[in-house]
Amino acid sequence: MGNKHNLARGVTVVGAGMSKFGIYKDRNSKDFFIEAFQDMRASVDKGLDPRDIEALYIGNFSNDFFVHQAHWGPILAELIGHTPKPATRTEGACASSALAFREGVFAIASGFYDVVLVGGAEDMSKRNTEEVTEGLAMASVSYERDAGFTFPGVFGALATAYFHKYGATREDLMNITIKSHNNASLNPRAQFNMTIRDMMNAKIEKCKVRGEPVPTWKTEKEFLSDPVANPPVAWPMHLFDCCPISDGASCMLLVAEDIAHNFTDKPLYVAGLGQGSGRGLHAAEGLTYFEATRYAAQEAYEMSGLKPEDIQFAEVHDCFSMAELIHIEDMGFFKPGEGYKAIAEGQTRLNGSKPINTSGGLKCKGHPVGATGVGQLYEVWKQLRGEAGARQIPNKNLRVGATQNLGGTGGTCTMTILERR
Amino acid sequence: MEERPFNDNSYQQFLNEEKLMGSKCKACGAVSVPPRPLCSKCYNTTMEWVPFRGIGKLAAFTSVFVGPPYMVKEGYNRKHPYIAGVVELEEGGRMDARIEGMDATRPELIKVGTPLIVTYLHRDEGIEKKTFLAFKPI
């Protein structure tokens, strides 16, 4: 009680990979994981002999429901020649692979293993949208389901509470969507690799070709305000406030600090880890923040000795635009009720003072739920190594990045801080 | 008052009887709706049932245009959205509930803070029979 959270020995990230998230009707989780695994192997500067991996931790939320196959630990272990060594599946809804990452870190910090592979996978496209909605809602609480809440519905409700308390509007959320698409247009791995403006132009072109009336949107916000182009899903959450259904996998190679240089001269250090648990809407402390994220952030800051202003950029769990606004406040980047103003000022843009979701976020990069936590860390890996290409943050001294992953309706939240030393 | 276990099942049985019931810890007085068998404040397990009047106000809401299969089965769709809300109860505490008597097609006109009163929606017959907690404007 009250002890400072610390690792018994240092843990580093020396490799990372992900599959290109998207809809793949003719491929499954094994295909996605192999793609991520090969990408990870290619990223290890001094090479990896896969036989050196001692344990595997895999996040998967609900392939049980989506494709009627559970028990993904040994299945993926067999796939990469890891058997008979241990493989463990972690489940924390959409935060499943952030939990796998934590378990991998703990396994090394304890001294039990030196080389661990962590990751996640999810295969969602084999079910229709209504079924996926139902499957995801398995991670909410029963009272929410009885009331008819969907996931977009929960974030829609939080938005109405936030709007009421702080005076933000739908237009403030549009700033988030526009920014995410701008970043994604620079990310070749994004599921929606285009700006809102690109999408508007494509739709206008289509209308011209078909001889249909051409829409008259002038600005991105006019497009996003058009109920035909951007219909409500769970008001005030509209289509462009919501992340897509995606398939994909991600993985990361973790090794003990003392052997990191066998793999790379540029390891990233696990500087901060935090995880919290939350209650459903009916029992939550408040309706404009997640107590689990605040707790996770407090843990991660305490362990790292860092403060919110030390985090130079972050990937946060923007399953819905409203979620991004809540998270950047819960992580302490902006005061409660101030986040939307900072967004409007451009502070969270790629060239802003606190770039958020440089990958395009879940909204545009895609959200194969079990793969997302490590997928977010993949972006931090890319940015801190200066390998983010066109979306590289224009800061020569980029050293500290963080992720925030959320499962269910705030039931499981994590914060992870990686540092280049 | 009642010899029922303090759990979800009893809570649902009470809803079926058109009663909104919570638990009160006899040791520290903490009230909870839905009921809980263990007080999360003082860890005591001696509880008593307390009725809620079913008066409250709207704390948060959404108008759902794309619902899950069980709501689609009730006839809701893009053209016929429904409202799900969080209701702040007069006695303290909140509940998730369906919101009736407000125009789900015009959610921009709905105000957080609207005073509400409980109503009970009885759905389906036979073994699937279930009552859902709902609120409507006073």
Side-chain angles (χ1 to χ4, degrees), chain A residues 76-357:
Chain A
L76 298 181
E78 193 277 333
L79 186 71
I80 60 168
H82 180 72
T83 50
K85 287 176 283 183
T88 304
R89 169 178 164 183
T90 57
E91 192 269 304
C94 304
S96 293
S97 60
L99 303 191
F101 180 88
R102 282 169 59 87
E103 292 309 312
V105 171
F106 294 151
I108 293 172
S110 73
F112 206 91
Y113 300 120
D114 291 324
V115 182
V116 167
L117 186 68
V118 301
E122 204 81 42
D123 188 357
M124 303 171 73
S125 72
K126 314 306 181 282
R127 294 270 201 158
N128 67 37
T129 303
E130 287 74 20
E131 289 168 341
V132 171
T133 303
E134 187 182 20
L136 292 173
M138 287 162 70
S140 61
V141 302
S142 61
Y143 319 114
E144 290 161 1
R145 285 196 298 278
D146 281 351
F149 274 109
T150 55
F151 265 98
V154 166
F155 285 86
L158 296 175
T160 61
Y162 187 100
F163 291 178
H164 179 74
K165 187 169 181 184
Y166 297 119
T169 64
R170 259 193 79 203
E171 207 177 310
D172 292 301
L173 300 184
M174 291 176 191
N175 290 329
I176 297 172
T177 299
I178 294 166
K179 182 264 306 166
S180 295
H181 274 274
N182 285 344
N183 289 348
S185 73
L186 306 173
N187 181 0
R189 298 254 180 124
Q191 189 167 344
F192 297 122
N193 175 223
M194 54 178 78
T195 65
I196 293 289
R197 178 65 69 180
D198 291 338
M199 289 180 143
M200 291 163 65
N201 291 342
K203 280 177 194 277
I204 287 170
E205 255 338 282
K206 208 164 158 187
C207 288
K208 281 182 183 165
V209 169
R210 289 183 178 171
E212 290 166 5
V214 176
T216 56
W217 320 298
K218 288 196 178 51
T219 64
E220 287 128 314
K221 285 185 182 173
E222 277 182 29
F223 168 79
L224 293 172
S225 302
D226 177 346
V228 177
N230 187 18
V233 173
W235 191 93
M237 293 299 103
H238 288 58
L239 183 62
F240 278 83
D241 292 296
C242 307
C243 65
I245 291 168
S246 316
D247 303 323
S250 55
C251 65
M252 253 179 167
L253 186 64
L254 306 181
V255 306
E257 177 179 25
D258 46 304
I259 61 166
H261 288 273
N262 297 344
F263 297 88
T264 176
D265 293 329
K266 297 193 290 179
L268 300 183
Y269 288 77
V270 179
L273 282 179
Q275 181 183 339
S277 302
R279 301 171 265 193
L281 285 180
H282 71 284
E285 268 181 3
L287 295 173
T288 55
Y289 62 92
F290 289 111
E291 58 179 324
T293 300
R294 287 186 176 184
Y295 183 86
Q298 189 187 328
E299 251 188 18
Y301 288 130
E302 193 179 285
M303 172 180 152
S304 63
L306 297 169
K307 296 186 177 64
E309 54 268 33
D310 299 321
I311 309 297
Q312 293 167 301
F313 67 101
E315 290 285 297
V316 307
H317 196 93
D318 61 324
C319 45
F320 303 97
S321 57
M322 185 62 212
E324 177 165 324
L325 172 53
I326 292 177
H327 304 329
I328 61 176
E329 294 183 356
D330 286 343
M331 294 166 91
F333 300 155
F334 306 103
K335 289 193 184 113
E338 300 285 326
Y340 74 95
K341 297 173 193 164
I343 291 165
E345 288 164 6
Q347 291 191 43
T348 61
R349 289 182 202 152
L350 193 55
N351 60 358
S353 56
K354 189 78 81 183
I356 300 293
N357 286 335

Side-chain angles (χ1 to χ4, degrees), chain B residues 25-93:
Chain B
C25 172
K26 284 185 176 175
C28 78
V31 171
S32 175
V33 61
R36 48 171 73 242
L38 172 73
C39 178
S40 61
K41 303 269 189 319
C42 75
Y43 296 95
N44 216 290
T45 53
T46 46
M47 298 285 167
E48 60 184 335
W49 287 104
V50 284
F52 280 72
R53 282 182 66 211
I55 307 286
K57 57 183 187 180
L58 189 62
F61 71 96
T62 179
S63 180
V64 180
F65 287 73
V66 181
Y70 56 90
M71 294 304 287
V72 172
K73 210 174 120 197
E74 288 190 24
Y76 294 107
N77 55 43
R78 282 185 187 277
K79 288 213 169 68
H80 302 285
Y82 62 89
I83 300 169
V86 182
V87 180
E88 201 100 47
L89 299 168
E90 188 184 66
E91 296 90 344

Side-chain angles (χ1 to χ4, degrees), chain B residues 8-23:
Chain B
D8 283 348
N9 200 40
S10 303
Y11 171 75
Q12 184 61 47
Q13 280 176 10
F14 277 123
L15 286 185
N16 296 346
E17 298 160 21
E18 303 208 341
K19 289 178 191 153
L20 177 56
M21 299 292 284
S23 60

